[in-house]
Every structure is written in structure tokens, then in C-alpha cells.
């Protein structure tokens, strides 16, 4: 272990991992980061909203503002007995570091801090400002985290130009994928009304399963879109359907269902909602439909930031990254609407949220170099 710990990013990563920062508990991680940033000239501001701790740190007062963003919270380890080693004690095995949060995303945080230290050591007079936006509520409800910090910044007219989010974007090898946007996520909560009855007397009942079935079939036949240059096709998935009272001779009086769209920029949540309603209204069905929008789609247009991240990755790995908008949502959905270019670059995501989460030690060291190179390309 002594060998790995001689690298400053790995040493900081281990210190972060030992803090059991299960959402929304920051467990002192942000203090650790602030203690490293203050000596570099950063003003560190803690923004506490309910039980969520957020850090806004900035060095410099002029623009442009290059911001690194991420989260200190981790998902719970689950049954710790299933882990090969203690999830909160960093363990090195076969070139990897095993622990909860090692990939998602304490390695991103450690790499940012060390990259900033090295960059400022060599370039104390760099242009513009450097900033960090760190939350302890990315894995949870995400209501009092990045969203609230962005609101607080907007209230005082403080803006960000470019944002590098350290989420684990890579698929098989470090830097094979960078995310330049994310699909939107829209959920529907449906209730279909019917009349409960005896299975032998359907004429006296109104079975909501029968009225919903053709609607469900039609929703599945719709080709929502083919995607576009940067987005995969919009996907419609039913995640839950419930009806029935548990007796074989009773037809239910009500059906509930939940479905979700992961949608491209070919749609807005309004146009999707209208389309779904028009399908329901084409059938003889009594229903109530409520919606939850968890994130609008966003896309960073090709330009200086994408070019810089692309170059930083290519120089390190020798191959060009794929520009992707796949995967789940991220806090980029809260940052991008303020007119910020957002790109996500982080380690391999294959083991995130799983038992025995891990990250390749070499990847963490290479990621630090990539972040440093991005600063050189953007601020020099
Ligand atoms: Zn994450």
C-alpha cells in the first residue's frame, strides 16, 4: 500500500473513502477539500440546505469561470458481509482500489484537487477563475444540493462558463466515453378507474385491465423518435402495473401503473405528455395521469470545452473518446440550464453502486493529468 499512497491523488482518495459519507451525510469530506483549497487562494463557502452540505469554492473574481463539480456522498454499501473487504477501508488488490465511492465519485474529487494544486503551482497567474461546486446529495433526492447552489449563485448574479463534472463516465477504459449531455427523464403515474365485480358476471363490472391493455399495446408500438446526432432514441418503459385484489373470482376496480420516458431533445416533456394523453383519449378508458419530471434533456454544443476535454483525453490515452448522452441523469441537469457548457469525465463506471466497487489506481493518476490539461487548455 505504501507504494500507491506515495501518489497524492491516491492518498487523498483514501482519506475521502474513510469518511462514511452516505447520502446526505458529507462526513467531513468537504472540510478536507476546503482545507486543501484555502491555501491555494480559494474562498470556500459552505451552503447548508436542510441536511445537505454543499461547498462552493472559488479562486479569482474575473471570468471566465471554469468549475469542477461533483458529490461527496455515496450510496449505502448494502450487506457489508457480501464485500470482500471493508467498504470504508480502502484496499488495494491487483492494481485496483476497492471501496464504496472509489469510482462514484471520490476519485474524481481527489483528482480535481490534486490537478488544481499542480496547475496553480505551475501557473499562479492563470486567467479567469477556478471554482468547485460539491454537494452531499447527488445520490438522494437531489433537492437541496446542486440545484439549490445554482439558485443561490443566480440570486447574486454569479455565473459559471464551463463545468467539468467528475462522474464516472467511462465504460471499459478511462476516457473511452465523455458525456456531453443527458437524456431527459419523465415519469407517469397512472390510475385507471373501473368497477370491481364477480369474474362470472363481467357485464356487471368494468375491468380496468381490459381497458388499459390496448392503450399499453399502442404506447409500445409508437416509434417515439430515432434519436438524433447526439441522442439515442427515446425509450418508453413500463416499470410497474398493479391490479387485482388477490382473489381468483374477483375482477379489480382499479389499476395503477408507472412508466418512464428517457427522452431525447426531439421532445419536450410537454410534447411527450400531450402525445401520451392523445393515445389515452383515443380509447374508451377512465383514467387519471400525474407526471414527475426529474430532469430535462441537456446538450453541450461542440465548442471550446468539448475540444479541450477531447484533447486532454486523447493525449493521455492515445485514442479519441466517444461523445455520449447515454446513461442516467446527473447533476449536469441542474448546471446546464444556466447556460453552462457541461462535460462529464470520470473513471470507469462498471462497478458503481455495486458490492466491491473499485477503480484502477492508474486511471486515477491519469485522470488527474487529464483535469490538469483541461485547465491548461481553458485558462492559459
Ligand atoms: Zn455519482
Amino acid at each position: 500500500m505504501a507504494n500507491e499512497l506515495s501518489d497524492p491523488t491516491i492518498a487523498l482518495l483514501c482519506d475521502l473513502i474513510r469518511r462514511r459519507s452516505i447520502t446526505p451525510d458529507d462526513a467531513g469530506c468537504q472540510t478536507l477539500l476546503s482545507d486543501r483549497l484555502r491555501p491555494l487562494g480559494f474562498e470556500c463557502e459552505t451552503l447548508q440546505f436542510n441536511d445537505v452540505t454543499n461547498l462552493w469554492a472559488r479562486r479569482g473574481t474575473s471570468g471566465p469561470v471554469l468549475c469542477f463539480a461533483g458529490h461527496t456522498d455515496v450510496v449505502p454499501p448494502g450487506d457489508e458481509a457480501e464485500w470482500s473487504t471493508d467498504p470504508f477501508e480502502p484496499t488495494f488488490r491487483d492494481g485496483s482500489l476497492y471501496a464504496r465511492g472509489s469510482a462514484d465519485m471520490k476519485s474524481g474529487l481527489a483528482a480535481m484537487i490534486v490537478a488544481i494544486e499542480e496547475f496553480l503551482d505551475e501557473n499562479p497567474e492563470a486567467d479567469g477563475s477556478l471554482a468547485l461546486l460539491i454537494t452531499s446529495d447527488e445520490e438522494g433526492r437531489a433537492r437541496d444540493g446542486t440545484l439549490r447552489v445554482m439558485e443561490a449563485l443566480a440570486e447574486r448574479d454569479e455565473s459559471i462558463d464551463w463545468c467539468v463534472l467528475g462522474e464516472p463516465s467511462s465504460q471499459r477504459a478511462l476516457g473511452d466515453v465523455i458525456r456531453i449531455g443527458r437524456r431527459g427523464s419523465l415519469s407517469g403515474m397512472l390510475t385507471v378507474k373501473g368497477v370491481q365485480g364477480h369474474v362470472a358476471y363481467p357485464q356487471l363490472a368494468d375491468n380496468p385491465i381490459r381497458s388499459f391493455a390496448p392503450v399499453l399495446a399502442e404506447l409500445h408500438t409508437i416509434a417515439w423518435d430515432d434519436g438524433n446526432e447526439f441522442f439515442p432514441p427515446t425509450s418508453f418503459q413500463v416499470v410497474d402495473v398493479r391490479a387485482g385484489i388477490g382473489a381468483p373470482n374477483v375482477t379489480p376496480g382499479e389499476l395503477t401503473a408507472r412508466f418512464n420516458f428517457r427522452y431525447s431533445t426531439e421532445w419536450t416533456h410537454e410534447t411527450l405528455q400531450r402525445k401520451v394523453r392523445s393515445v389515452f383519449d383515443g380509447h374508451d378508458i377512465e383514467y387519471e395521469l400525474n407526471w414527475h419530471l426529474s430532469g430535462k434533456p441537456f446538450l453541450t454544443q461542440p465548442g471550446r470545452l468539448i475540444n479541450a476535454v477531447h484533447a486532454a483525453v486523447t493525449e493521455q490515452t492515445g485514442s479519441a473518446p466517444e461523445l455520449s448522452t447515454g446513461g442516467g441523469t446527473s447533476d449536469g441537469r441542474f448546471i446546464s440550464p444556466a447556460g453552462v457548457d457541461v462535460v462529464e469525465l470520470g473513471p470507469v463506471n462498471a462497478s458503481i453502486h455495486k458490492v466491491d466497487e473499485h477503480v484502477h489506481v492508474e486511471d486515477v493518476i491519469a485522470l488527474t493529468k487529464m483535469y490538469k490539461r483541461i485547465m491548461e487548455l481553458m485558462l492559459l
Side-chain angles (χ1 to χ4, degrees):
M1 182 181 284
N3 207 9
E4 284 94 354
L5 289 180
S6 63
D7 179 85
T9 310
I10 301 297
L12 176 57
L13 173 55
C14 290
D15 285 346
L16 288 167
I17 283 169
R18 289 199 183 91
R19 288 164 170 76
R20 297 178 66 106
S21 52
I22 296 170
T23 314
D25 186 4
D26 168 67
C29 291
Q30 291 174 22
T31 306
L32 192 61
L33 303 181
S34 303
D35 288 348
R36 297 284 283 260
L37 292 168
R38 258 189 226 100
L40 303 171
F42 279 81
E43 291 228 11
C44 298
E45 195 180 335
T46 295
L47 295 144
Q48 185 80 35
F49 300 113
N50 298 310
D51 52 1
V52 176
T53 312
N54 303 287
L55 171 67
W56 171 249
R58 177 167 176 170
R59 180 190 190 269
T61 50
S62 61
V65 181
L66 171 61
C67 175
F68 287 92
H71 59 91
T72 51
D73 59 318
V74 300
V75 294
D79 183 0
E80 295 193 22
E82 288 193 24
W83 284 67
S84 306
T85 49
D86 183 344
F88 294 98
E89 184 53 45
T91 308
F92 295 95
R93 209 160 57 236
D94 304 325
S96 289
L97 172 53
Y98 285 78
R100 173 58 84 226
S102 56
D104 186 9
M105 57 156 278
K106 289 177 170 175
S107 46
L109 298 177
M112 290 167 189
I113 297 293
V114 174
I116 288 171
E117 286 173 344
E118 292 178 357
F119 172 75
L120 289 175
D121 185 48
E122 291 169 22
N123 309 284
E125 306 298 330
D127 295 343
S129 297
L130 271 169
L132 284 99
L133 195 177
I134 310 294
T135 182
S136 70
D137 181 30
E138 196 275 340
E139 304 285 9
R141 293 164 302 156
R143 256 181 262 160
D144 293 316
T146 303
L147 176 65
R148 296 286 299 272
V149 178
M150 290 303 292
E151 286 170 359
L153 293 178
E155 269 167 32
R156 60 192 196 204
D157 285 328
E158 195 168 353
S159 60
I160 299 169
D161 297 281
W162 308 303
C163 176
V164 176
L165 198 55
E167 289 283 1
S169 63
S170 304
Q171 251 151 29
R172 273 172 292 277
L174 177 67
D176 61 352
V177 175
I178 61 174
R179 299 210 187 280
I180 58 163
R182 293 275 188 162
R183 291 180 293 180
S185 174
L186 176 69
S187 291
M189 281 84 70
L190 171 74
T191 306
V192 180
K193 301 277 183 217
V195 177
Q196 184 179 312
H198 193 300
V199 72
Y201 301 93
Q203 70 279 14
L204 300 178
D206 175 12
N207 188 340
I209 299 174
R210 195 182 53 194
S211 46
F212 181 47
V215 180
L216 185 60
E218 186 175 334
L219 288 170
H220 273 111
T221 59
I222 296 171
W224 297 92
D225 59 54
D226 298 324
N228 55 31
E229 190 185 356
F230 291 109
F231 282 87
T234 292
S235 120
F236 166 76
Q237 294 295 320
V238 179
V239 292
D240 192 51
V241 178
R242 281 167 211 227
I245 66 158
N249 56 354
V250 180
T251 57
E254 192 177 277
L255 173 148
T256 60
R258 272 191 90 109
F259 52 84
N260 178 265
F261 285 97
R262 290 300 159 110
Y263 65 100
S264 75
T265 44
E266 297 295 300
W267 295 87
T268 66
H269 63 283
E270 289 101 343
T271 58
L272 266 180
Q273 289 172 3
R274 253 198 309 271
K275 174 73 181 169
V276 170
R277 284 206 181 275
S278 77
V279 172
F280 274 88
D281 293 342
H283 292 261
D284 184 18
I285 182 168
E286 197 189 321
Y287 71 98
E288 204 185 290
L289 187 50
N290 293 301
W291 297 96
H292 175 69
L293 175 66
S294 42
K296 295 179 186 175
F298 69 88
L299 177 69
T300 295
Q301 296 295 337
R304 198 167 155 201
L305 180 64
I306 289 180
N307 290 345
V309 176
H310 193 279
V313 169
T314 309
E315 284 168 23
Q316 264 306 306
T317 66
S319 43
E322 177 197 337
L323 309 185
S324 159
T325 57
T329 62
S330 77
D331 273 4
R333 72 194 139 138
F334 303 128
I335 300 170
S336 169
V340 185
D341 283 354
V342 180
V343 175
E344 300 179 34
L345 167 64
V348 174
N349 57 29
S351 68
I352 62 171
H353 295 208
K354 292 185 181 173
V355 163
D356 287 348
E357 177 179 348
H358 60 277
V359 67
H360 296 298
V361 171
E362 289 305 321
D363 285 359
V364 181
I365 296 167
L367 185 63
T368 308
K369 293 181 180 147
M370 291 176 186
Y371 288 161
K372 183 179 168 217
R373 185 71 184 127
I374 293 167
M375 284 182 271
E376 290 167 358
L377 291 168
M378 299 305 287
L379 296 179
L380 295 184

